[in-house]
Amino acid sequence: MIHLTSQNLSTKEIIQSVFSPLIGTTCSPQAEEMCQKNNLTFAEMLQPFARLTTESSLRDSGGVSVSLKGIRLNICDVSWRPPQTVLARKMLNDSVSNTHCEKTRLIHVDEFTSLDIPFAEPWYEQWRETFLTVQFPADHEFTRHFLSCLIVISSSDPNPLECANQLTRKVQMMQNVTPPKLPKWFTHDPLNCYIMLHDGCSGDITKAQQAFESMKMTYGENKCFLMQINSLQGTPGECPDPWLRYLKRHPRPDPNLVENDSSTPKSPQDSGVSMSMTMQMSTLETPPSGIVVGEVVHHPLSPLQEMAGDISAMSTSTESLTSSQPINPNVWAATNDDHIDVPHGMCLTANDIENLRHLIQDYTLRALIPYIEKLIYTLNESITTKKGVSRSLLTATKRWFVTNKPGTGNSTQNAVVYTNESTELQTRKIGDIYFMFGHYASAFQAYHQAKRDFNADSAWQYYAGALEMAALSAFMQGQTSRKTYDYMEEAIVTYLNICKLPQFATRATILSVECLKVKKLNSY
């Protein structure tokens, strides 16, 4: 879903790409079959064209229009799930160990010693991208929650409208399940839009247009889109492949090294089990001389960098790896020819590719932005009403005049539980919306207010999340100060020492480190 490696992006461009609106997709079998003719899923087909190129604007809660520039949509199948813990750790480890920089430079340590060191650090880019991809969506922030879902059908479906109805019911069940499960949604009423794919070679355009008119009458004109693809007739020729950079494959171990090794994992499930068994066996081995029993020191980026008490939990978690829960199909390919590039878009003409671009623009301008404006208004009205009615004088006095510090008193655990309708979470949601759509000044105001509310409630995990996002909002505005970096550092310390989450990190935490790195470089 997130593609940063080898794109030479600045820190601000990385932050904008990571915190982009998350849009889900679900397809009928016929629609998916049309896309697979190009060796792509529907979500993959849209990836190179998911950036808004048309000048647009977004009205904030005060009715002021803010220019939108370069907003990119993060499009993902709703059935996608992050890998389980054991597999995620292995992916992080492999992202480091399997990435090398061929170019080196000679460094003279002293008059007798010289070293060839890598010219760059591509392993960090791979690790960062993998980390941002394998994260589960958190409950104290909403940038990883789906804002909308694209329901995709084919004009060749026997009954396109009934197919759309069935997919709608399926999506609504996911959106309204209690208690909430993956995938997580930004609101209880997300935006559902409908796309009808038409095969340019074999489909009947008149029949497709008739079915499309019925769909617009049912779901609304601004929520329905008709797009023609697969118009190329004859033998596909050589053509550019803009999709290749977006289709990441994680390589398997070198077959020459493990050709006869029966313990070599053939799938993510196998790797999880064998890894857990290896970890448990390692705790039984006799340590070498000079090593204290029970003291295990691993490389900081090793997936084994865990407390001994976590091993049993990791072992238990491997059972879920073999469940039916789908994970990213791009983790390992199904064949041994992982590095052989297959062509993509073989059935698409130049007009078809232009249709893909227009779809993103039309969907964003006609459906998504109006929905977001309405959502901002609704959240703001709810916050204003609750502040005026439900808050007592004592609560208001506490929030404005009591200065609570993380770790003071007897409240060092994140025991506060908020409902989805709480003023605090709705304030955080408004901040996340503004941030994802590039309105960083309003995002900072919302995060700053949420930070004060969470601090007053001693909700430290929520507090740390609002702190780091307020810092990133200031950074994106170019208004960084010493206080901005203090926010970043305080958020990390709060996660580490107050929330008792020594290995917890959000996407904002990783990007806060990027900002601190920029500060350090600018200080030289």
Side-chain angles (χ1 to χ4, degrees):
M1 295 191 298
I2 298 172
H3 310 284
L4 306 174
T5 306
S6 303
Q7 296 197 41
N8 296 321
L9 300 177
S10 67
T11 301
K12 288 186 176 181
E13 289 172 331
I14 290 174
I15 293 173
Q16 188 179 49
S17 297
V18 170
F19 291 98
S20 52
L22 185 58
I23 310 299
T25 66
T26 185
C27 301
S28 70
Q30 287 81 0
E32 195 62 49
E33 184 179 349
M34 287 179 61
C35 298
Q36 289 295 341
K37 291 180 179 180
N38 299 285
N39 290 326
L40 297 165
T41 66
F42 179 75
E44 291 171 342
M45 189 179 292
L46 294 179
Q47 291 297 328
F49 318 106
R51 188 176 298 278
L52 183 65
T53 57
T54 305
E55 186 75 18
S56 184
S57 62
L58 176 73
R59 287 178 297 176
D60 62 13
S61 57
V64 180
S65 294
V66 181
S67 177
L68 295 181
K69 297 180 180 179
I71 300 299
R72 177 176 176 80
L73 304 183
N74 189 355
I75 301 172
C76 173
D77 195 302
V78 294
S79 64
W80 185 86
R81 300 292 183 271
Q84 295 295 329
T85 305
V86 173
L87 177 56
R89 289 170 181 150
K90 183 182 187 304
M91 291 171 62
L92 287 168
N93 187 57
D94 289 347
S95 67
V96 176
S97 60
N98 294 337
T99 306
H100 306 282
C101 181
E102 300 296 335
K103 295 183 180 180
T104 61
R105 54 182 175 177
L106 186 64
I107 298 295
H108 298 285
V109 179
D110 52 40
E111 58 180 330
F112 304 106
T113 308
S114 299
L115 297 175
D116 280 326
I117 65 171
F119 191 79
E121 298 174 345
W123 65 266
Y124 174 70
E125 292 185 359
Q126 292 287 350
W127 179 87
R128 180 185 59 195
E129 182 168 319
T130 303
F131 175 84
L132 296 171
T133 302
V134 302
Q135 270 199 324
F136 275 75
D139 292 326
H140 72 289
E141 57 96 14
F142 302 94
T143 56
R144 293 268 293 178
H145 295 202
F146 285 106
L147 279 166
S148 174
C149 184
L150 302 178
I151 298 174
V152 187
I153 63 173
S154 169
S155 60
S156 62
D157 282 308
N159 188 337
L161 189 58
E162 178 58 27
C163 181
N165 289 335
Q166 292 177 0
L167 289 175
T168 301
R169 289 193 291 269
K170 172 186 172 183
V171 170
Q172 288 175 342
M173 288 179 61
M174 291 189 290
Q175 293 168 347
N176 298 306
V177 64
T178 303
K181 300 179 180 179
L182 293 180
K184 294 193 175 184
W185 302 87
F186 199 92
T187 70
H188 66 279
D189 186 26
L191 172 68
N192 292 332
C193 289
Y194 300 84
I195 298 173
M196 177 178 287
L197 298 182
H198 176 68
D199 193 305
C201 288
S202 60
D204 184 344
I205 188 62
T206 303
K207 179 182 176 182
Q209 290 174 342
Q210 292 175 350
F212 182 64
E213 290 299 321
S214 299
M215 197 164 68
K216 288 196 296 183
M217 293 178 61
T218 304
Y219 299 110
E221 183 175 357
N222 290 332
K223 293 183 178 180
C224 299
F225 306 89
L226 175 64
M227 183 175 67
Q228 179 171 310
I229 60 173
N230 296 350
S231 302
L232 185 63
Q233 299 182 358
T235 304
E238 293 290 334
C239 61
D241 191 344
W243 296 274
L244 191 59
R245 64 187 292 189
Y246 295 96
L247 304 178
K248 304 293 183 181
R249 291 288 194 270
H250 293 269
R252 294 183 182 181
D254 188 348
N256 296 324
L257 299 178
V258 294
E259 181 177 4
N260 299 318
D261 187 356
S262 60
S263 64
T264 301
K266 303 300 189 297
S267 68
Q269 289 85 350
D270 295 341
S271 69
V273 174
S274 63
M275 179 181 175
S276 178
M277 291 175 63
T278 302
M279 291 176 62
Q280 295 179 57
M281 289 293 292
S282 65
T283 63
L284 302 178
E285 295 174 355
T286 303
S289 59
I291 302 297
V292 180
V293 176
E295 180 183 3
V296 182
V297 180
H298 296 293
H299 189 279
L301 295 182
S302 169
L304 306 182
Q305 178 71 0
E306 297 292 339
M307 295 181 180
D310 291 339
I311 295 178
S312 60
M314 290 176 60
S315 176
T316 303
S317 68
T318 58
E319 298 175 3
S320 60
L321 291 175
T322 57
S323 66
S324 59
Q325 183 188 54
I327 62 173
N328 189 344
N330 287 337
V331 171
W332 283 349
T335 67
N336 290 327
D337 300 327
D338 289 337
H339 299 285
I340 298 178
D341 295 332
V342 296
H344 304 103
M346 306 84 66
C347 299
L348 301 179
T349 63
N351 286 337
D352 292 338
I353 293 178
E354 198 63 28
N355 290 340
L356 294 172
R357 290 193 177 95
H358 286 162
L359 174 66
I360 294 296
Q361 310 303 311
D362 290 347
Y363 161 73
T364 305
L365 299 178
R366 288 170 44 195
L368 183 61
I369 291 179
Y371 169 78
I372 293 300
E373 292 176 341
K374 181 179 177 181
L375 181 58
I376 290 174
Y377 177 82
T378 301
L379 289 172
N380 188 66
E381 284 294 304
S382 176
I383 292 171
T384 303
T385 301
K386 290 179 181 179
K387 279 184 177 180
V389 176
S390 64
R391 287 190 174 181
S392 66
L393 179 61
L394 179 62
T395 302
T397 303
K398 176 185 176 183
R399 293 186 184 281
W400 285 104
F401 297 104
V402 174
T403 303
N404 205 357
K405 293 295 184 181
T408 60
N410 56 7
S411 177
T412 59
Q413 299 297 324
N414 195 56
V416 181
V417 177
Y418 295 106
T419 64
N420 288 329
E421 292 75 26
S422 66
T423 302
E424 295 82 0
L425 288 194
Q426 289 182 332
T427 303
R428 169 68 201 234
K429 283 185 177 182
I430 282 188
D432 286 344
I433 291 175
Y434 282 139
F435 195 96
M436 288 187 290
F437 285 88
H439 193 356
Y440 300 113
S442 294
F444 178 83
Q445 295 175 5
Y447 289 134
H448 194 269
Q449 179 59 49
K451 172 185 74 72
R452 298 181 67 166
D453 292 344
F454 294 140
N455 180 58
D457 291 338
S458 299
W460 300 125
Q461 187 170 340
Y462 293 91
Y463 170 75
L467 261 180
E468 57 191 2
M469 291 305 296
L472 289 181
S473 299
F475 179 84
M476 294 299 286
Q477 293 180 77
Q479 299 179 1
T480 53
S481 63
R482 177 62 207 173
K483 193 171 185 179
T484 303
Y485 298 111
D486 288 344
Y487 277 5
M488 297 178 183
E489 293 174 355
E490 184 180 351
I492 295 172
V493 171
T494 302
Y495 283 134
L496 181 66
N497 297 333
I498 311 306
C499 301
K500 306 302 181 183
L501 299 170
Q503 295 166 352
F504 181 81
T506 65
R507 298 186 299 167
T509 309
I510 296 300
L511 296 173
S512 294
V513 174
E514 296 274 346
C515 297
L516 292 171
K517 184 171 66 174
V518 171
K519 173 199 172 188
K520 180 67 71 174
L521 291 175
N522 291 338
S523 65
Y524 289 116

